[in-house]
Amino acid sequence: MDAMGRTTPPTLTGLTTYLLSRTGKAARGALAARLARRGLRLWHMAVLAALADFGPHAQRELSTRLGIDPSDVVKVVDELAAPGYVERSRDPADRRRVRVALTPSGRAALAELNDAAQEVGGAVLAPLDAREQATLHALLSRVYAGIEESSTP
Amino acid sequence: MDAMGRTTPPTLTGLTTYLLSRTGKAARGALAARLARRGLRLWHMAVLAALADFGPHAQRELSTRLGIDPSDVVKVVDELAAPGYVERSRDPADRRRVRVALTPSGRAALAELNDAAQEVGGAVLAPLDAREQATLHALLSRVYAGIEESSTP
DNA sequence: TCCCATCATGGGTGCGCACCCATCATTTGT
DNA sequence: ACAAATGATGGGTGCGCACCCATGATGGGA
């Protein structure tokens, strides 16, 4: 009797925005679940990645780079400093600024998080073969670039 | 001086999950903004679409089809019934069930929402040409299918 | 030197979303 | 006929995220 099944309405699946939103949420959720094991959230990983890729930042720089509210940066950095993943130090040149730097332990943690993320990616993208995953990544990169550009004019 | 710019850390952009999560959130946000103009949220559109595509549902059916908590279905339907987009009626065969049906006004509203969604899609996917948008859609469809399947065993 | 801009910090708000539980009406199975 | 299962409803919770404002410390320009 459940002939109409559990199928998602075609009106929705026909919308690329809908698919993006859904798959994105799934990806986000899976990733967040992995991070939660270590008591971290997505922003924590983003901050660690920024520090690893670009070296130490003042908190304000983290804010503009990642698009987080400066006020929230404080809290995220707090939570990263507690387990010793990052270190705060005052910038001697400009003593208002707090320089945030990655510790070795933070770098190691990031590596693990990255592995976890790769795993999650593998699971989510399982229906696609390697070639297709690559094209998906390429297309998404361009869409992402477009978004970044339009949000930071 | 801001030589390191506002670039997103490559460690993140290298992760397809991250790109999915971000672009998905952007898509979701843009869509939600459009719906908000009419005082609706994403679930409202999903329910309207389900009714349009598959005809009237009992609320429980909406719950299982869309993966919303039964308790939340009640509230969403409440909000759709207020402007007269849907109508509730007791199923005469099983008087526990409440049959939810789309009204003409609801169908019209859905059409408008659908147009809005297409617009949003066009904006988000602007960096891609038509052919690329099509392949992106196809790839995402398969990923989405994989997700649905693994979440409903 | 003084005023204003900048930065970090802490505290608080509101929204959306996912969940859970208790209750009541009704149907189904025994 | 009665107990158990099902469906709808209302009320409440917690989390993540995005914001906003006030305060105190510091730096830089008039």
Side-chain angles (χ1 to χ4, degrees):
Chain A
M1 66 114 88
D2 213 343
M4 68 178 119
R6 301 160 186 68
T7 334
T8 305
T11 301
L12 296 181
T13 52
L15 297 168
T16 312
T17 34
Y18 180 80
L19 293 179
L20 258 183
S21 160
R22 284 304 224 143
T23 53
K25 166 163 286 193
R28 174 184 223 81
L31 194 44
R34 296 296 292 258
L35 297 185
R37 294 188 192 171
R38 292 172 167 83
L40 301 179
R41 276 162 300 132
L42 289 164
W43 284 127
H44 296 111
M45 180 169 179
V47 167
L48 291 179
L51 297 177
D53 289 344
F54 299 104
H57 286 62
Q59 292 187 180
R60 191 92 224 293
E61 292 168 339
L62 287 173
S63 166
T64 66
R65 174 184 303 285
L66 301 172
I68 326 180
D69 189 278
S71 173
D72 293 325
V73 175
V74 178
K75 298 154 191 166
V76 171
V77 172
D78 276 349
E79 289 150 358
L80 287 174
Y85 293 156
V86 302
E87 269 178 357
R88 275 195 243 240
S89 59
R90 286 226 109 87
D91 182 340
D94 182 343
R95 308 210 24 265
R96 288 171 303 180
R97 300 182 157 231
V98 171
R99 202 183 86 128
V100 181
L102 202 56
T103 66
S105 131
R107 192 171 296 274
L110 176 59
E112 291 180 17
L113 297 182
N114 203 17
D115 289 352
Q118 299 283 1
E119 253 183 69
V120 167
V124 171
L125 304 180
L128 308 182
D129 63 38
R131 181 175 190 73
E132 292 167 326
Q133 295 191 9
T135 47
L136 177 61
H137 187 89
L139 292 176
L140 287 178
S141 293
R142 289 171 48 205
V143 172
Y144 177 71
I147 290 170
E148 283 302 88
E149 161 186 356
S150 60
S151 68
T152 18
Chain B
M1 64 114 104
D2 213 342
M4 65 177 121
R6 299 156 186 70
T7 333
T8 305
T11 300
L12 297 180
T13 52
L15 298 169
T16 312
T17 34
Y18 180 80
L19 293 179
L20 258 183
S21 160
R22 284 304 225 145
T23 53
K25 164 161 288 194
R28 174 185 225 80
L31 195 43
R34 295 298 291 257
L35 297 185
R37 293 188 193 173
R38 292 171 168 82
L40 300 179
R41 276 162 300 132
L42 289 164
W43 284 127
H44 296 112
M45 180 169 181
V47 167
L48 291 179
L51 297 177
D53 288 344
F54 299 105
H57 286 62
Q59 292 187 180
R60 191 93 225 294
E61 291 168 340
L62 286 173
S63 166
T64 65
R65 174 185 303 285
L66 300 172
I68 326 179
D69 189 278
S71 173
D72 293 324
V73 176
V74 178
K75 297 155 192 164
V76 171
V77 172
D78 277 348
E79 289 150 359
L80 287 175
Y85 293 156
V86 302
E87 269 178 357
R88 274 195 244 241
S89 59
R90 289 254 160 215
D91 181 340
D94 183 342
R95 308 209 27 263
R96 287 172 303 183
R97 296 181 161 233
V98 170
R99 200 183 87 127
V100 182
L102 202 57
T103 65
S105 131
R107 191 172 298 273
L110 176 59
E112 291 180 16
L113 297 182
N114 202 17
D115 289 351
Q118 298 283 2
E119 253 184 69
V120 167
V124 172
L125 304 180
L128 309 182
D129 64 39
R131 180 173 191 73
E132 293 167 326
Q133 294 192 11
T135 52
L136 177 60
H137 187 88
L139 293 177
L140 287 178
S141 293
R142 291 172 48 207
V143 172
Y144 177 70
I147 289 170
E148 284 300 88
E149 161 186 359
S150 60
S151 67
T152 19

